[in-house]
Amino acid sequence: VAATIRDVARLAGVGIGTVSRVINNSPLVSEPTRQRVMWAIEELAFVPNQTARKLSLGKTLTISVITPFFTRPAFIERLRGIEQTLAKSAYEMTLYNVESVARRDECLREVPLRERTDGIIILSLSPNDADLPYLESVKVPIVLIDAQHAALTRFTRILIDDVAGGRAAVNHLIELGHRQIAYISDPLETPFNFTSSRDRFTGYRQALQQAGIAFRPEYHLQGEHGRAPAHRMAKQLLSAANPPSAIFAASDTQALGVLEAARESGLRVPQDLSVIGYDDIEISEYLGITTMRQQLYESGLRGVELLLASLADPSLAPVCEYLPVELVVRGTTAACP
Amino acid sequence: VAATIRDVARLAGVGIGTVSRVINNSPLVSEPTRQRVMWAIEELAFVPNQTARKLSLGKTLTISVITPFFTRPAFIERLRGIEQTLAKSAYEMTLYNVESVARRDECLREVPLRERTDGIIILSLSPNDADLPYLESVKVPIVLIDAQHAALTRFTRILIDDVAGGRAAVNHLIELGHRQIAYISDPLETPFNFTSSRDRFTGYRQALQQAGIAFRPEYHLQGEHGRAPAHRMAKQLLSAANPPSAIFAASDTQALGVLEAARESGLRVPQDLSVIGYDDIEISEYLGITTMRQQLYESGLRGVELLLASLADPSLAPVCEYLPVELVVRGTTAACP
DNA sequence: CTGTTAGCGCCTTCAT
DNA sequence: ATGAAGGCGCTAACAG
């Protein structure tokens, strides 16, 4: 039913090459001819078939974005930065949501090969050694946001220094006089190979060490991501023999669980217990949670900018940019009683 | 650089048709031949070029999803239902996020025409009369979720009865003895043509009328979506001459703002003020907010199912399905003092 | 069962 | 400046 370039050519009484030139704004068409072709296009309501165009051009005008758990606030915010930046370009966004390891492997290994995309943005899924060959073999540019690997210098990366962030969070507690500081996080080792909890843990230990506080293994609990598991871990921590006076949660979502546990344990926050989260998601402002603010939106925005740049000029060398973190002090942290 | 079907055929010593059959699981290939082809595919790390495939098939294997404000929890949840269902199919998802009226018009009118998609899912953006011709002219199936229009019977729709939902929410308050019930919502008329706030308002008025309570215009405040504007509206309501004893917020996000205002006004919830929200987003459970639960995830899931069905059998007549709403009573509503 | 061939719709030389 | 022709990689119909 849809008109093709041939229909237009016939109606305008020209060759199909000429129509193609008009479509692509080639200067090699005389004004009268162009007029006639334009008229025919209008007349037939002709819209170039993108698929055919891609095949011929060898381009797809599509960017693939691979993200884990896109319902989590921190990922949403990054995606938002990506989407809004991409919307201003000629590219569209195909989204792959990863919520299982099988899907992770599938996405990391197959998506790049399908030739359905001109570029790839990967969020938080750090490639492992087995993934590397796949990524290395890809010919389209790849941008990694919040993903790390020693051998990743071939790709452009946007990072936020989680070690420094963890250190800053814990330093804040130390400056308030706390010395019994616990850390509640996702599992440090996950099949998804997330690095943030691990890096923040490193920062946590660094801060303790610098302050001359011994690390106590029983003060570090790890479990599934989410409010409920964090809730359980906090309960366990608070009901133990030597409860901490402050808890650093690896995300604001988990901080919510900690606050819940404190409430149930009859502890006042921040008088009896200090709590600091991470991310500064929207609800944290509402609840007055002290947290580490990450530039999530900006990381998505910047990732797209760099991807588009290397699409425009493939000779561009990959870069690695760091975005700052910022301590936001609100009402859930106070001096140690 | 990438291997093509021809390379595989040559290496396996067969014709390209046979390779194509193997790729597409055609039964018309002998086992030994299939083995040999599989081996060649493996050997060359061959992945079929999707673009060429699409062109040949006349399909795009892509579904376009148009959603407004995809960072809002209610939309995320629908998207999640869509993504997870689509991930099980051969289709991919291209996402269009709408946060301005210009973008809304662009998406509603141009996306369908680009032939980059086999089907379209539109969330919450009810077409207006000017949009209709565009949608009507599309040849791919369209599914509308949470979008209404008198002339939309040509399309499959998934709806949740917001009038009934609004009525149920207010009836709950009435049964608790409240008679001074306010309603805080988004603007009833928006350029995006959202219908939910409007329909819930209708339900609100119906419930009042059935209970013989006169509608008081000063009890209905409308403003930008979000916690902060709802906060302001609630403040205004609570500091007026004749404050309500209960507030129905058009979304849980707005209910948060109301709770904030109550706190600042020194009102205890639910003793002094009852608050009911809408959506049952995750945080509502955490904060114990009474609300109307919508089957958001399910609406996305069902929308995809119906879209895939009509893709498989284009002769299917469009249907209109309603999903139920459910009252979830928690801690922010109580008997009128 | 399998190889061959004709498109799918467009872009891009190559002549003219 | 323009028309004709070849090709992008794959599918499907057609012979064998």
Side-chain angles (χ1 to χ4, degrees), chain B residues 14-15 17-18 21 29-30 33 55-56:
Chain B
V14 299
T18 301
R21 285 183 201 103
V29 186
S30 71
T33 310
L55 181 57
S56 186

Side-chain angles (χ1 to χ4, degrees), chain A residues 100-292:
Chain A
S100 73
V101 178
R103 174 93 169 147
R104 171 198 182 281
D105 292 345
E106 177 198 337
C107 285
L108 242 42
R109 296 173 187 184
E110 288 186 15
V111 168
L113 293 177
R114 288 198 203 154
E115 306 197 29
R116 305 173 77 150
T117 188
D118 290 340
I120 302 174
I121 295 180
I122 299 175
L123 290 187
S124 299
L125 292 166
S126 294
N128 55 40
D129 292 334
D131 301 320
L132 272 185
Y134 293 89
L135 296 180
E136 299 276 358
S137 72
V138 173
K139 48 234 142 282
V140 300
I142 297 180
V143 169
L144 298 156
I145 300 180
D146 183 37
Q148 304 189 313
H149 187 286
L152 247 38
T153 49
R154 228 207 69 188
F155 306 112
T156 288
R157 283 166 298 155
I158 311 289
L159 293 168
I160 296 180
D161 190 339
D162 282 309
V163 177
R167 213 167 40 217
V170 177
N171 274 337
H172 169 62
L173 297 172
I174 291 173
E175 282 165 17
L176 287 170
H178 294 278
R179 297 186 63 82
Q180 300 186 303
I181 302 171
Y183 176 54
I184 283 183
S185 74
D186 294 13
L188 262 33
E189 298 297 334
T190 69
F192 293 107
N193 202 15
F194 291 141
T195 58
S196 60
S197 285
R198 202 159 57 208
D199 288 347
R200 289 169 204 167
F201 178 64
T202 303
Y204 163 76
R205 297 199 53 171
Q206 286 181 358
L208 291 183
Q209 183 170 9
Q210 280 167 19
I213 303 173
F215 167 65
R216 300 167 56 157
E218 71 272 25
Y219 273 2
H220 173 223
L221 260 44
Q222 41 186 313
E224 284 265 290
H225 183 84
R227 204 187 72 224
H231 178 189
R232 279 194 294 279
M233 291 188 274
K235 279 288 245 192
Q236 180 183 335
L237 223 36
L238 296 174
S239 61
N242 210 331
S245 68
I247 297 180
F248 168 32
S251 71
D252 287 349
T253 302
Q254 289 163 311
L256 292 180
V258 174
L259 292 176
E260 207 171 14
R263 201 192 305 154
E264 290 176 12
S265 303
L267 293 170
R268 292 164 307 162
V269 174
Q271 294 89 336
D272 307 321
L273 179 74
S274 281
V275 178
I276 183 168
Y278 210 104
D279 286 339
D280 195 28
I281 62 177
E282 210 200 334
I283 197 71
S284 301
E285 190 200 341
Y286 174 72
L287 295 172
I289 298 176
T290 296
T291 189
M292 298 300 302

Side-chain angles (χ1 to χ4, degrees), chain A residues 50 53-54 57 59-63 90-93 117-118, chain B residues 116:
Chain A
Q50 297 294 331
R53 191 145 204 274
K54 293 175 191 176
L57 282 171
K59 295 197 163 197
T60 67
L61 295 178
T62 297
I63 301 295
Y91 291 88
E92 293 181 347
M93 169 175 95
T117 188
D118 290 340
Chain B
R116 303 174 78 149

Side-chain angles (χ1 to χ4, degrees), chain B residues 19-256:
Chain B
V19 178
S20 177
R21 285 183 201 103
V22 172
I23 296 172
N24 296 287
N25 295 314
S26 160
L28 308 175
V29 186
S30 71
E31 196 45 35
T33 310
R34 150 170 272 108
Q35 292 295 338
R36 212 141 30 86
V37 172
M38 295 290 262
W39 168 81
I41 288 178
E42 192 74 24
E43 191 69 13
L44 296 168
F46 167 73
V47 179
N49 179 314
Q50 296 296 329
T51 303
R53 188 146 204 272
K54 293 175 192 176
L55 181 57
S56 186
L57 282 171
K59 297 192 165 196
T60 67
L61 298 178
T62 296
I63 301 295
S64 295
V65 178
I66 305 175
T67 176
F69 303 103
F70 85 146
T71 53
R72 295 187 188 168
F75 292 114
I76 293 285
E77 204 44 36
R78 291 184 182 99
L79 280 178
R80 185 152 169 272
I82 291 172
E83 206 278 343
Q84 297 211 337
T85 313
L86 228 34
K88 293 176 196 149
S89 77
Y91 292 87
E92 294 183 345
M93 169 174 93
T94 300
L95 191 60
Y96 298 85
N97 180 34
V98 171
E99 301 198 3
S100 72
V101 178
R103 173 95 169 144
R104 171 198 181 280
D105 292 346
E106 177 198 338
C107 285
L108 243 42
R109 295 174 188 183
E110 289 185 15
V111 168
L113 293 178
R114 289 196 203 155
E115 304 197 30
R116 303 174 78 149
T117 188
D118 289 340
I120 303 174
I121 295 180
I122 300 175
L123 289 187
S124 300
L125 292 166
S126 293
N128 55 40
D129 292 334
D131 301 319
L132 273 185
Y134 293 89
L135 295 181
E136 298 277 357
S137 72
V138 173
K139 45 233 146 286
V140 300
I142 298 181
V143 169
L144 297 156
I145 300 180
D146 184 37
Q148 303 189 313
H149 187 286
L152 247 39
T153 49
R154 228 206 68 189
F155 307 113
T156 288
R157 283 166 297 156
I158 312 289
L159 293 169
I160 296 181
D161 190 338
D162 282 309
V163 176
R167 213 165 42 214
V170 176
N171 275 336
H172 169 62
L173 297 173
I174 291 174
E175 282 164 16
L176 287 170
H178 294 277
R179 296 187 62 82
Q180 300 186 302
I181 303 171
Y183 176 54
I184 283 182
S185 73
D186 295 12
L188 262 34
E189 299 296 336
T190 68
F192 294 106
N193 202 17
F194 291 143
T195 58
S196 60
S197 284
R198 202 159 58 208
D199 288 348
R200 290 169 203 165
F201 178 64
T202 302
Y204 162 76
R205 296 199 54 172
Q206 287 180 357
L208 292 183
Q209 184 170 10
Q210 281 167 17
I213 303 173
F215 167 63
R216 299 167 56 158
E218 71 272 24
Y219 273 4
H220 174 223
L221 260 43
Q222 42 186 312
E224 284 265 290
H225 184 85
R227 203 187 73 224
H231 178 189
R232 278 194 295 279
M233 291 188 274
K235 279 288 245 192
Q236 180 183 336
L237 223 37
L238 297 174
S239 61
N242 210 331
S245 68
I247 297 180
F248 169 32
S251 72
D252 286 350
T253 302
Q254 289 163 311
L256 292 180

